[in-house]
Each structure stands twice: as structure tokens, then as C-alpha cells.
Amino acid sequence: MSDDMNELDTPTFRLAVAQFDQAAERMNLDPNLRQRLKLPERSLIVSVPVRMDDGTVKVFMGYRVQHDSSRGPSKGGIRYHPDVNLGEVAALAMWMTWKCALAGLPYGGAKGGVRVAPKELSRGELQRLTRRYAADILPVIGPDKDVPAPDVGTNSQVMAWIMDTYSQQVGFAVPGVVTGKPLSIGGSLGREEATGRGVVYVTLEAMRHLSLDIDKASVVIQGFGNVGSHTARIMRESGIRVIAVSDASGGLYNAKGLDIPELLRRCNQDGQPLHDTKLGDWITNEELLALDCTVLVPAALSEQITHKNANKVRCRVLAEGANGPTTLEADQVLTDKGIFIIPDILANSGGVIVSYFEWVQDAQRFFWKAKDIQDRLQEIITAAFHRTLQFSMAQQATMRMAALMSGIDKVAQAHLARGLFP
Ligand code: GLU
């Protein structure tokens, strides 16, 4: 890694750059562009002071990184997590650029985050933190500039506070400044479940391509947050047995298939921890990743499948619901084992695809039906899957390489067409 990357140099950023380098090498990318696209356009670091309920003031580190804006406003979520750092946010921003380009959305990539454990804050503290962070990044966001959305640890309420903070500043309601908002202020039907629904659509396509029988298939999901829980529900509704799910404390396993509706009722409505539901046997996260299954969906954090556990993974299809769940070494091990990988920038693109629908609806002040959203999501993500599959077969490249090369190529073409300023 060159010296100019020191500030960003973390394991996750190194993973994103290593993937980019592999793809750039293979596609013989223009060396000038290669250097440009390795680094984000703009990285903003803010320190966010928050009055806590006990009267003291705590300061949290916040970030917003815009990787590329050659094809349109930059787009990407905001993450609240105790491990958030500049390098991680920069890596996630780079992945957003390739993800948007691959799906054909008119966006560049961005990401934001605050280093905080949101569950430890009261609702009032969370609101004050969000509003101050929003005020601090306000100069760089906007519906035509950079459009945040939910990610790990944030939700529609957090987006509503950001929308309100921005709107208060400019003096009128600006719904299009964020996506993933509540319906009452210009959110879209189907946005919350969109990433999970997209994971299911591409998984079904992969199973069809590999001639795998849905009736006999089993799915294991790591993570039971927004992506994991909707993936579990929609897999079940599509007739696929979900045999294990997990959260940060461990996993629940039932070989006959978990009762997902009951699990969702207890966890989401009654607030029961996964462990207390007793709807299956309790297993460790390591055991969960090593379960014999048709489809494994990592839907939690990055770097979960590594050189340490990759050889134990026993799925036929890996559908990456999370961003960056597989390290470079692990990727090679899984590929050698013949596992069909649906890479993150394709598998989890349903979220940003429906974010795009939300932004378009906000701009037009005209809202679509749930069926329109689902049909258009399916059309876009399925087309992206098949384009990637064709390209991977034509180039004899893995699905990950094919997805990265397609995304990078679209961004490269935009840079070459626009030229370098000044
Ligand atoms: N945070 C999501 C992602 O990683 C969604 C981003 C968005 O909708 O802008 O893709």
C-alpha cells in the first residue's frame, strides 16, 4: 500500500483496494484512472458533541466519505457501530460505487458512520447525536450531491431526523436528501425489506442456474438485523427451509426448519433475544458458518469468512447479504471448493435499488404501489445477475471478478468521457 493511503489503511480498506487491484489488473485499466479510483474523492471527519441524559457532554467520531461522483450524486448508508473508522467507511464507499454502477443506477458511492454503540443510548441521546452529526455533514450532502440511507445500527427514524435537520436549515421539506425514510415523509413502500428481497431474488436465480431443487434446499443466515430477518422471512415465503439464523450472541439451529414467523414475532414484536426463544438448538457463530446447507447468507459485518474458517464452510451457494463478509484468502478457498459466490455488490444491491426508487418518487412527488416496487426491483437485480453471469462465463472469471470488472468499467467510461478538470 502506498504512503498516500496511510489514513485509510485498515483491514477493510485493504480488502476493498485488493479486490479493486485484482479487477483493474485483469481488465487492464488505464493506470491514471487506477490511481484515481483507489482513493475516495472526499473524506470528512467530524467530532460530534452530544449532551447525554446525565448532563455530561460526550464526543463521538463521525465520518462521511464520498468515493466517486462521476455518474451522479454519491449514495450510501450511515452506520452506527463501535468499530466504525475512516478506513472502513472508505471501503464501504468504494463498494457502493461499484454496486450502483453494476445495477445501472445513476449514482456514485459514499458511506458514513459514527463510532458509537447505539443500543447504549436513550432515544433522546440518539436523536441529539443524529441531529448534530447531520448538521456537521450538512455542507456535503443534498439530493443532488450525496444521499445517505440506513446501514448497520441505523433505521428509518434516524433518516427522519436527518431529513428534518436538513429541511430546517434550508427552510422547506426536502424528502430526497435521504432514503429509507418513514412513509409519512416520502419514504417508499418496500424499502425496509428491499435488501433481503434482493438477496432472495438473486439466490433463486443462482439455484435455477445450478439446477438446485428448492424443495430440498436449506438456508443458513448469519445476522438477524434488517437484512438477515427479511431474508429469512422472504426465503421462507418462497418455500425454502431456513435451518439457522444468528445474532451477535450466537445462533439458533433446527434441521427441520425454523418457525420464522414465530421467531420474528417474538424477536421484533416482543423484543425477545434470539437465544430466549428456544425455537432451536443454540450453536456458536463458528458452528453456524460450518453448517451443511444449500445457501449460506452472511448478513452481518465484514470479514466473517477468513482463512481460518473458509475450509469449514459447506454451502453450495454463498449469497453475500453483508458488505465485504469474505476476505481475499477465504474467497480463493471457497472458489477452489466450487462454491458459487454471489458477491456483495450484486447480492445486497436490492437496498440501494429501492433507495433509487424512493429518490425518484420524491423528485416526482408521485408514489408507486408495492407491486411496482417489487416488480421493478426483480427486473433490475435479475438482469444484473444474468449480465454478471454471462460476463463471468465469457471471461472465465469468478462472479466477484465479473461484478467488479463490470462496475469499474462503467465508472471508468464516465471518467474518460468527462475528462480531468481543470
Ligand atoms: N446501506 C445499504 C448498502 O450498503 C444501502 C445504501 C443505500 O440505500 O443508499 O447498500
Side-chain angles (χ1 to χ4, degrees):
M1 183 146 315
S2 59
D3 283 347
D4 46 358
M5 285 186 196
N6 278 344
E7 295 90 340
L8 304 166
D9 188 10
T10 63
T12 317
F13 190 68
R14 254 176 269 152
L15 171 60
V17 171
Q19 288 178 349
F20 169 74
D21 273 337
Q22 275 190 355
E25 191 62 42
R26 216 183 142 140
M27 62 197 282
N28 233 333
L29 185 70
D30 181 318
N32 295 329
L33 274 176
R34 193 160 161 174
Q35 195 52 28
R36 175 77 195 98
L37 293 177
K38 235 184 237 198
L39 292 168
E41 267 174 28
R42 178 187 278 142
S43 309
L44 177 64
I45 306 180
V46 293
S47 50
V48 187
V50 181
R51 173 91 53 201
M52 307 305 279
D53 291 344
D54 67 3
T56 60
V57 174
K58 266 200 191 157
V59 181
F60 299 88
M61 294 310 293
Y63 309 89
R64 184 74 188 169
V65 174
Q66 296 162 348
H67 173 258
D68 191 78
S69 61
S70 58
R71 302 176 56 260
S74 49
K75 185 87 193 75
I78 288 173
R79 176 172 291 205
Y80 287 177
H81 191 276
D83 296 333
V84 161
N85 59 68
L86 181 64
E88 181 191 59
V89 175
L92 291 160
M94 184 187 287
W95 284 322
M96 284 308 302
T97 303
W98 317 142
K99 191 186 300 185
C100 293
L102 179 66
L105 310 179
Y107 288 138
K111 202 77 168 200
V114 178
R115 193 182 306 151
V116 61
K119 288 203 181 106
E120 287 168 16
L121 301 186
S122 69
R123 184 181 161 92
E125 289 167 341
L126 190 68
Q127 177 166 179
R128 291 193 290 278
L129 168 89
T130 299
R131 287 185 179 282
R132 184 58 190 255
Y133 167 69
D136 290 339
I137 65 165
L138 205 96
V140 301
I141 63 170
D144 298 316
K145 257 194 212 173
D146 178 11
V147 185
D151 195 77
V152 175
T154 58
N155 56 21
S156 59
Q157 179 60 73
V158 171
M159 295 306 118
W161 289 325
I162 298 176
M163 179 271 189
D164 184 66
T165 305
Y166 187 90
S167 301
Q168 291 297 339
Q169 281 299 313
V170 296
F172 51 90
V174 186
V177 66
V178 289
T179 58
K181 298 176 293 294
L183 287 179
S184 56
I185 51 170
S188 175
L189 291 168
R191 173 61 187 87
E192 197 191 281
E193 62 161 37
T195 311
R197 183 168 289 282
V199 169
V200 176
Y201 286 153
V202 291
T203 301
L204 290 173
E205 291 304 314
M207 288 175 62
R208 219 163 279 146
H209 164 67
L210 300 167
S211 307
L212 297 170
D213 191 350
I214 287 188
D215 296 332
K216 297 196 190 104
S218 56
V219 177
V220 169
I221 302 172
Q222 183 202 34
F224 207 55
N226 177 274
V227 180
S229 62
H230 285 293
T231 301
R233 176 178 60 78
I234 300 166
M235 285 283 184
R236 189 66 218 109
E237 288 168 5
S238 312
I240 304 181
R241 200 160 40 109
V242 179
I243 59 168
V245 299
S246 71
D247 64 15
S249 59
L252 207 54
Y253 170 62
N254 185 337
K256 293 205 184 77
L258 292 164
D259 184 348
I260 299 295
E262 178 63 12
L263 198 60
L264 287 168
R265 199 182 56 71
R266 296 217 209 151
C267 296
N268 292 358
Q269 281 174 30
D270 307 347
Q272 244 184 43
L274 214 51
H275 179 265
D276 296 359
T277 62
K278 304 267 185 307
L279 289 170
D281 298 328
W282 195 244
I283 56 173
T284 64
N285 183 47
E286 279 305 295
E287 287 167 337
L288 177 121
L289 293 175
L291 285 172
D292 193 358
C293 59
T294 316
V295 183
L296 173 62
V297 183
L301 296 168
S302 65
E303 293 130 297
Q304 296 299 300
I305 304 174
T306 67
H307 66 281
K308 292 195 191 120
N309 59 11
N311 56 6
K312 299 198 193 107
V313 171
R314 285 191 291 160
C315 59
R316 181 71 189 83
V317 175
L318 182 78
E320 295 183 334
N323 290 308
T326 312
T327 66
L328 220 53
E329 300 79 12
D331 194 48
Q332 190 59 52
V333 175
L334 301 184
T335 302
D336 291 346
K337 285 173 82 158
I339 293 175
F340 185 86
I341 301 177
I342 315 173
D344 48 4
I345 58 169
L346 174 60
N348 70 32
S349 62
V352 73
I353 291 171
V354 177
S355 274
Y356 166 59
F357 298 162
E358 180 172 333
W359 181 76
V360 167
Q361 292 171 82
D362 289 339
Q364 301 190 329
R365 267 87 171 143
F366 179 77
F367 291 86
W368 310 351
K369 296 191 290 287
K371 174 135 190 354
D372 298 337
I373 309 272
Q374 286 182 14
D375 290 350
R376 285 174 167 158
L377 166 62
Q378 184 165 25
E379 194 181 312
I380 292 182
I381 204 165
T382 305
F385 175 88
H386 285 290
R387 276 198 310 273
T388 308
L389 184 63
Q390 295 310 320
F391 191 57
S392 100
M393 293 194 294
Q395 296 279 321
Q396 299 199 321
T398 62
M399 283 292 279
R400 189 186 311 285
M401 250 333 102
L404 284 166
M405 285 161 69
S406 315
I408 294 167
D409 183 56
K410 287 205 182 135
V411 178
Q413 284 180 32
H415 276 265
L416 293 172
R418 287 181 58 162
L420 182 64
F421 175 85

